[in-house]
Amino acid sequence: MRVVVLYHESGEDAAVEDQDVLVQRDAVAAALQRRGYQVSCLGCTLDLAAVKRLLLALEPDSVFNLVESLGGTDRLMTLATMLLDALQIPYTGTHTDAILATSNKLTAKQRLHDAGLPTPAWLPARANDIVAYRSANDDKRWILKPVLEHASFGMDDDAVVTAEDLAMLEAKRSDREQQLGRPVFAEQFIEGRELNLSLLGGRVLPPAEIDFSSFPPDKPRIVGHQAKWDEHSFEYQQTPRHFAFPATDASLLERVADLALNCWQLFQLSGYARVDFRIDRAGQPWILEINANPCLSPDAGFAAALSQADISYDEAIQRIIEYSVRWAPEPVESSRPTLRR
């Protein structure tokens, strides 16, 4: 079986989070080769005509999609899956509609709210009304997030703000938007624990918790850009994940696992995903983010969850490829050359 590992091109001057895709590419390709697949790697750019020609020449049975950004922004990453849809080539992970719904945080939050799933209250970009109910431990703090970029984009301590009223919040949101050069929205900041639940083929893997215990009291407990990407920073070194939970967390873990499955079903996710939660002081879980195609680097959270579930990295990569064939659209008449299977 021929597999093309499709990834977004990342030059030497690219941000560290963009260069991480090269680590994922090499790890995924090596795992596939060890499982006996014929593997080619193809960098994707905004020159989609060239990507199309190369894909047709390679005649893949499936594409392992690692495209997380194009043209310097995450909002264009679905161009890759749209191209694969048009060519009727099966690909791994979540399909275009679900990527669009989850990568736009406002769309995702509105869908969660409409389905009755708990997501923190928010102030949409360029809006004048707060949406949804607030957490019981409301302390007038908000976190300013980009609408269409990955969760750590521009995320630092200054993203957490205090606002006495709506006008002040809107002013701070607007200032942050100008600073980042991207649409920004405000979300109620949930002070509390942070849990990440990874899923593989609709199965919830063991939950992980981010340990903020080394943070000083006045430092916002967030997994920002430095915590994710700067291995020399305090934030990176003092936000370890752990998988050990006391027996008293049993009902909480059952609740967040159910919510993760609700997200999987609501957004029609496939292959693999991750759902991030905050737990407020009352023990109420709140859904923060839904990552349709989380990082597959061997040292990332998804791989750590696999290890806790006694699933090898290579086995997971093979399963993801198998799911791509299972979730492939029905074939239609096309000018694309017939695939040899």
Side-chain angles (χ1 to χ4, degrees), residues 8 14-21 24 68 150 152-153 225 229:
H8 55 276
V16 62
E17 59 266 34
D18 289 324
Q19 293 183 27
D20 182 70
V21 74
Q24 297 182 63
E68 302 171 357
H150 57 81
S152 67
F153 178 87
H225 189 273
W229 302 111

Side-chain angles (χ1 to χ4, degrees), residues 80-159:
T81 55
M82 288 177 180
L83 175 61
L84 295 170
D85 290 337
L87 296 175
Q88 293 288 293
I89 300 176
Y91 54 91
T92 60
T94 294
H95 286 249
T96 301
D97 288 347
I99 296 175
L100 286 169
T102 54
S103 60
N104 184 317
K105 297 181 182 66
L106 294 181
T107 300
K109 288 179 71 67
Q110 189 65 59
R111 188 174 293 188
L112 289 167
H113 178 60
D114 291 345
L117 298 178
T119 188
W122 73 98
L123 178 74
R126 299 183 181 85
N128 57 6
D129 195 18
I130 293 171
V131 181
Y133 296 103
R134 301 194 192 186
S135 164
N137 58 317
D138 178 20
D139 60 3
K140 297 182 180 180
R141 284 195 299 171
W142 299 80
I143 184 166
L144 305 177
K145 297 181 174 182
V147 176
L148 296 161
E149 306 295 337
H150 57 81
S152 67
F153 178 87
M155 189 61 63
D156 56 25
D157 290 357
D158 291 339

Side-chain angles (χ1 to χ4, degrees), residues 33-307:
Q33 289 169 342
R34 287 191 292 267
R35 290 279 166 157
Y37 293 91
Q38 300 177 45
V39 181
S40 302
C41 295
L42 176 60
C44 184
T45 69
L46 287 176
D47 187 353
L48 296 179
V51 177
K52 176 182 176 180
R53 289 194 299 271
L54 291 168
L55 282 170
L56 293 179
L58 290 168
E59 294 186 302
D61 297 299
S62 184
V63 165
F64 204 109
N65 177 36
L66 295 177
V67 177
E68 302 171 357
S69 176
L70 282 174
T73 176
D74 294 1
R75 69 191 306 173
L76 295 179
M77 64 180 167
T78 51
L79 293 178
T81 55
M82 288 177 180
L83 175 61
L84 295 170
D85 290 337
L87 296 175
Q88 293 288 293
I89 300 176
Y91 54 91
T92 60
T94 294
H95 286 249
T96 301
D97 288 347
I99 296 175
L100 286 169
T102 54
S103 60
N104 184 317
K105 297 181 182 66
L106 294 181
T107 300
K109 288 179 71 67
Q110 189 65 59
R111 188 174 293 188
L112 289 167
H113 178 60
D114 291 345
L117 298 178
T119 188
W122 73 98
L123 178 74
R126 299 183 181 85
N128 57 6
D129 195 18
I130 293 171
V131 181
Y133 296 103
R134 301 194 192 186
S135 164
N137 58 317
D138 178 20
D139 60 3
K140 297 182 180 180
R141 284 195 299 171
W142 299 80
I143 184 166
L144 305 177
K145 297 181 174 182
V147 176
L148 296 161
E149 306 295 337
H150 57 81
S152 67
F153 178 87
M155 189 61 63
D156 56 25
D157 290 357
D158 291 339
V160 178
V161 300
T162 299
E164 295 297 329
D165 54 38
L166 190 60
M168 181 183 292
L169 179 60
E170 169 57 23
K172 292 187 176 186
R173 186 207 61 79
S174 179
D175 287 346
R176 188 72 172 179
E177 187 169 86
Q178 292 183 27
Q179 177 186 348
L180 295 182
R182 300 285 198 279
V184 167
F185 75 102
E187 179 182 78
Q188 185 197 5
F189 182 69
I190 306 295
E191 184 65 70
R193 302 165 68 183
E194 180 156 333
L195 272 61
N196 311 134
L197 273 74
S198 298
L199 299 99
L200 177 64
R203 170 190 170 184
V204 181
L205 303 179
E209 180 169 2
I210 304 301
D211 182 1
F212 294 109
S213 62
S214 295
F215 275 35
D218 59 344
K219 183 174 179 60
R221 284 154 167 74
I222 59 173
V223 182
H225 189 273
Q226 286 185 299
K228 291 193 69 173
W229 302 111
D230 183 358
E231 63 182 15
H232 302 295
S233 69
F234 170 87
E235 290 84 356
Y236 185 98
Q237 296 173 9
Q238 301 303 326
T239 50
R241 69 177 69 90
H242 70 78
F243 293 88
F245 292 87
T248 52
D249 278 339
S251 61
L252 170 64
L253 298 183
E254 183 177 353
R255 173 65 174 146
V256 293
D258 287 343
L259 288 172
L261 284 174
N262 288 156
C263 292
W264 181 276
Q265 295 160 0
L266 177 65
F267 291 93
Q268 295 185 317
L269 305 177
S270 57
Y272 61 113
R274 191 189 72 242
V275 184
D276 299 336
F277 296 87
R278 295 285 281 206
I279 315 300
D280 69 18
R281 289 193 291 266
Q284 165 69 42
W286 297 88
I287 301 167
L288 296 185
E289 309 279 351
I290 300 166
N291 193 327
N293 291 339
C295 178
L296 291 176
S297 293
D299 61 350
F302 190 85
L306 289 173
S307 178

Side-chain angles (χ1 to χ4, degrees), residues 3-7 28 32 62-67 84 90-93 272 296 316-318 320-321 324:
V3 177
V4 167
V5 178
L6 187 67
Y7 63 99
V28 168
L32 290 170
S62 184
V63 165
F64 204 109
N65 177 36
L66 295 177
V67 177
L84 295 170
Y91 54 91
T92 60
Y272 61 113
L296 291 176
I317 296 302
Q318 179 168 347
I320 292 169
I321 276 289
S324 75

